[in-house]
Amino acid sequence: MLRLEWKYVIIGLAGLFGLYLVGTALFRPLKFLIRLTAWTVLGVALLLAINAVFGYLGFHIAINPLTILTAGILQLPGVVLLVMLNVLFIG
C-alpha cells in the first residue's frame, strides 16, 4: 500500500505556492511591458497619421521617444497636446 508522509505533501504544496508567487511576480512586469509596447505602437500610428494628414500644410510633429510615449500613453489627448505645443512654440 502506498503511504504518503505529511511532510512530502506539505513540501509539495509549499513548492506549488512558491511557483505561484514567482509566476505572479514575473508576469506583472511582463504585462506592463506588453501594454507599454502596445501604447508605443499606437503612439507611432497616431503621430504618423497626423504627419500624413497635415504634412501637406507644412505641419509636422517630430517623432522621438518623448512624443511617442506622450501620444501612446495619453492617446488622443496626448496628440492634441503635442499639436497645441507645436503650434504654440513653433508657430
Side-chain angles (χ1 to χ4, degrees):
M1 184 139 247
L2 181 64
R3 183 177 162 197
L4 291 176
E5 294 187 30
W6 283 104
K7 66 179 178 181
Y8 293 131
V9 172
I10 291 173
I11 290 172
L13 288 175
L16 287 174
F17 183 69
L19 281 174
Y20 171 75
L21 289 178
V22 169
T24 302
L26 293 177
F27 183 69
R28 285 186 182 163
L30 181 65
K31 185 177 175 182
F32 176 73
L33 288 176
I34 290 171
R35 285 184 180 171
L36 186 63
T37 303
W39 291 335
T40 303
V41 169
L42 180 64
V44 169
L46 287 172
L47 289 175
L48 289 174
I50 290 291
N51 285 337
V53 170
F54 294 113
Y56 296 110
L57 301 174
F59 186 78
H60 177 76
I61 296 177
I63 297 179
N64 57 44
L66 183 65
T67 59
I68 290 172
L69 285 176
T70 302
I73 292 174
L74 297 177
Q75 296 176 355
L76 188 59
V79 172
V80 170
L81 173 71
L82 290 171
V83 168
M84 289 174 52
L85 289 173
N86 195 352
V87 169
L88 182 66
F89 289 121
I90 296 177

